[in-house]
Amino acid sequence: MKGWKIWGVPLSIMLINMAAIMERADENLLPSVYKEVSQAFKVGPADLGNLTFVRNFVQGLASPLAGILVLHYDRPKVLAMGTIFWAISTAAVGVSTEFIQVAFWRGINGFGLAIVIPALQSFIADSYREGVRGTGFGMLSLIGSLGGIGGGVVATVMAGHDYWGVPGWRVAFILMSTLSLLIGVLVFLFVVDPRSFAPSKSSDRNALIGKGKGSPTSLWRESWIAMKSVTKVKTFQVIVLQGLVGSLPWTAMVFFTMWFELIGFDHNASAALLSVFALGSSSGGLLGGLIADKMARIYPHSGRIISAQFSAFMGIPFSWFLLVVIPQSVNSWLTYAITLLLMGLLISWCGSGTNAPMFAEVVPEKHRTMIYAFDRAFEVSFSSFAAPLVGILSEKIYGYDPKSVRLDSGSSQEAFALSRGLFAMMAVPFGLCCLFYTPLHFTFKKDRENAKLDSLRDDDALTSAYVKD
């Protein structure tokens, strides 16, 4: 059954994409009910931002663990393990009675995501050829974003109702946890690691290193070598640098739903706007992957970089128009929708079209999960400060007052304050992100050639050792 195909698509790829759907749905769950959580626990944007900070910070610290685990275990097992952590923590948030409990379980949620996301990315990198990896990551982004749309919409709509006397936002968390756990079990049972289809490399290597598996020292030595190898790559260092600032706007966007509701939009209208933006972003991920693949064929050493710089730059005018120019009124729904659709379509190219495919090309195949894991470690840890900063700017500088929030009609002053906090954490980082991509024009070519040479040396060494043995 593990080798089955459905409509010509391998069952493994389908289940991996389903895992991506649930991962993105889980990420969007809490931000979609920020207002309800704010009322339930009597907290403001700064405290809500701290929830995102806790999850992202733990995720960043724990991400290297994914690279270590994947060196020694099949990725389906690693993915299933991470899914169990995030499923249990999601259900626990839904039944929490104290804000400190919510913060603790969001940290556990971050630990699960730290294991899952790098393994997902390396799985896709190994499943597609070099010239079409942008498209592969774009498809993962598109399909995963469907989960983000579903999770955000379902949570936002359910938040407006009670079910069997239980607030809808709590029921949404328990429902999402159940579905995530089911997908994790299916991944464990039926997904096949792409490395198992390369017997000349993977099987021989596993047979050779299997003799030393009884020694924990040898396992940690191999992990340490992989870590040092990845962090020394110049292209990795540059992409991490741009990611430190480039991820800030996306983390700050967790406040979009709350901002729409403060303007005066009801749950359904806010969910619709969030869905439009998610649709634009997911389509943009695929569009960016296709364009970057095409650009890479024309300009092999700079095409992907140019497409990323264009996408990052477009975040500046769109942030300004969305948060400053459009009148903050329920009458502006259509203007918001069109802006969010175009914004999502054009600012979402960097990850799928540039970062993820380039990572796969600058390290040997065996170190791919490690490079994705360390990217998440640095990027997510730093970006975790964005959400608390939005809350602090909104409250301390622009005058946001949690006590003035009205659930029925919105709060124009609080909406204005939150929008200014968002703008500060979006426009400037987008500009810096565009600038920080520039050194890749000078590092990528050399690093890619070095990675190819390392892979050839590894293959030759394995072949010689296997024949000798």
Side-chain angles (χ1 to χ4, degrees), residues 224-444:
W224 178 247
I225 292 172
M227 292 179 194
K228 291 197 297 182
S229 175
V230 164
T231 54
K232 288 180 179 179
V233 177
K234 297 292 185 183
T235 295
F236 168 78
Q237 297 170 1
V238 174
I239 293 180
V240 166
L241 176 62
Q242 69 76 31
L244 293 180
V245 293
S247 59
L248 292 176
W250 294 95
T251 306
M253 290 176 197
V254 298
F255 282 106
F256 271 4
T257 301
M258 186 177 186
W259 175 52
F260 295 143
E261 293 177 352
L262 288 172
I263 290 173
F265 295 114
D266 60 21
H267 285 87
N268 293 336
S270 299
L273 286 173
L274 191 69
S275 299
V276 168
F277 180 64
L279 178 62
S281 299
S282 58
S283 301
L286 178 57
L287 176 64
L290 291 168
I291 290 176
D293 283 348
K294 181 66 175 179
M295 290 285 288
R297 285 192 287 271
I298 300 173
Y299 307 104
H301 308 305
S302 60
R304 295 191 186 278
I305 306 164
I306 294 171
S307 66
Q309 289 184 298
F310 170 80
S311 182
F313 177 80
M314 293 305 296
I316 302 173
F318 273 111
S319 298
W320 170 73
F321 189 77
L322 176 73
L323 297 164
V324 177
V325 176
I326 301 176
Q328 297 189 23
S329 164
V330 293
N331 297 323
S332 301
W333 189 93
L334 183 59
T335 307
Y336 277 124
I338 294 173
T339 303
L340 287 167
L341 179 65
L342 295 175
M343 180 178 177
L345 195 64
L346 294 177
I347 69 171
S348 53
W349 299 4
C350 298
S352 60
T354 302
N355 297 2
M358 288 175 68
F359 278 151
E361 296 179 32
V362 297
V363 294
E365 180 180 337
K366 64 182 180 180
H367 291 162
R368 282 177 182 162
T369 301
M370 188 67 76
I371 197 170
Y372 292 120
F374 268 85
D375 173 59
R376 299 297 299 179
F378 290 111
E379 184 174 313
V380 175
S381 296
F382 189 79
S383 68
S384 61
F385 292 95
L389 285 175
V390 170
I392 293 171
L393 289 171
S394 301
E395 292 185 32
K396 304 301 182 181
I397 296 180
Y398 297 109
Y400 185 100
D401 183 5
K403 297 179 181 178
S404 300
V405 174
R406 298 189 300 275
L407 290 175
D408 52 347
S409 59
S411 304
S412 58
Q413 176 57 37
E414 279 58 53
F416 174 84
L418 186 56
S419 70
R420 293 308 182 266
L422 281 167
F423 180 69
M425 291 305 300
M426 289 176 63
V428 174
F430 271 129
L432 292 175
C433 176
C434 176
L435 178 64
F436 288 169
Y437 268 113
T438 304
L440 290 178
H441 291 285
F442 309 99
T443 65
F444 177 56

Side-chain angles (χ1 to χ4, degrees), residues 203-235:
S203 298
D204 291 351
R205 178 178 180 272
N206 290 337
L208 288 169
I209 67 173
K211 300 174 182 178
K213 279 190 174 182
S215 171
T217 303
S218 64
L219 300 183
W220 283 108
R221 184 184 301 116
E222 184 181 355
S223 300
W224 178 247
I225 292 172
M227 292 179 194
K228 291 197 297 182
S229 175
V230 164
T231 54
K232 288 180 179 179
V233 177
K234 297 292 185 183
T235 295

